[in-house]
Amino acid sequence: MAEAEEALRTLAHNVRTARNRAGLSLDELGRRAKVSKGALVGLEKAQGNPNFATLVRLADTLGVSVSALMEGPTEAHVRVMAADAVMPLWAGVQGSEARLMLTTSGPAPVEVWRWKLEPGEEYPSHPHQAGVVETVSVTSGRILLVVDSAEHLVEAGQTATFDGDVAHTYRGAGDEACHLIMTVHLPPGPASVG
């Protein structure tokens, strides 16, 4: 439980710092990110439990990566992350999950995600900010990638890339779980929230 409390305090600090750096009031951030002011006040006080979609909308609005909102300061030049050391940011009812493994630093960060999608289970994503590019590399199974209403079957050994500023959905296809690595390439902007 102490780990979850510390993670929430880090998230609260990073959201408040990024909001102040962007010069946004709570009202304006809430309006742009479609998050209630009450939820933002609670979040900045390290209270509540924001869902994955809320974190993505806040990160997009603030021009930072999701992990920049979640991570404390880095202490080493090399970071090695084990999948079981990272809590899923999204979990489906059939056992699907998405884990944000890490985000690179620099002016145009890249998020590295590990996904598992059970057959038929899906995650619909809202459009990201302009300039976001996603890449999906399927390592086993297959995924039905729906981008701007067009369906694309991506199988093991294949990689797909697309502009993330349109509605898109990831759906497990076939008879077995689909495992994939996703990278989210963010446009140049603030590299960290401090």
Side-chain angles (χ1 to χ4, degrees):
M1 189 58 119
E3 269 185 37
E5 290 171 3
E6 180 60 31
L8 192 54
R9 282 193 298 273
T10 298
L11 175 63
H13 172 268
N14 291 344
V15 168
R16 186 173 43 257
T17 301
R19 179 179 62 79
N20 289 332
R21 183 175 292 143
L24 298 174
S25 67
L26 285 166
D27 287 324
E28 184 61 15
L29 176 57
R31 185 186 67 73
R32 291 183 186 184
K34 297 181 175 95
V35 176
S36 74
K37 181 179 177 180
L40 286 174
V41 168
L43 177 59
E44 288 193 5
K45 290 182 177 181
Q47 300 168 347
N49 186 15
N51 65 29
F52 176 54
T54 298
L55 291 176
V56 171
R57 286 194 311 272
L58 286 171
D60 279 351
T61 302
L62 293 167
V64 298
S65 66
V66 172
S67 63
L69 292 179
M70 299 177 58
E71 293 179 347
T74 56
E75 299 164 4
H77 294 293
V78 176
R79 291 180 290 161
V80 177
M81 301 298 294
D84 60 356
V86 178
M87 294 299 298
L89 285 179
W90 171 76
V93 296
Q94 297 174 19
S96 299
E97 63 182 26
R99 295 173 191 255
L100 176 57
M101 300 306 296
L102 60 87
T103 301
T104 62
S105 59
V110 176
E111 296 175 347
V112 179
W113 293 81
R114 202 181 269 271
W115 283 73
K116 177 178 84 170
L117 284 166
E118 294 295 335
E121 192 157 33
E122 67 178 36
Y123 179 81
S125 180
H126 69 88
H128 300 293
Q129 64 180 324
V132 171
V133 175
E134 293 193 19
T135 301
V136 177
S137 295
V138 176
T139 58
S140 67
R142 54 184 152 164
I143 181 177
L144 185 65
L145 178 63
V146 183
V147 178
D148 205 17
S149 301
E151 296 183 351
H152 309 273
L153 185 63
V154 186
E155 301 187 28
Q158 294 181 324
T159 299
T161 189
F162 61 95
D163 293 334
D165 61 354
V166 296
H168 48 283
T169 299
Y170 320 103
R171 184 179 309 132
D175 299 328
E176 63 181 283
C178 176
H179 294 267
L180 59 98
I181 303 297
M182 175 194 302
T183 57
V184 179
H185 303 259
L186 303 169
S192 66
V193 293

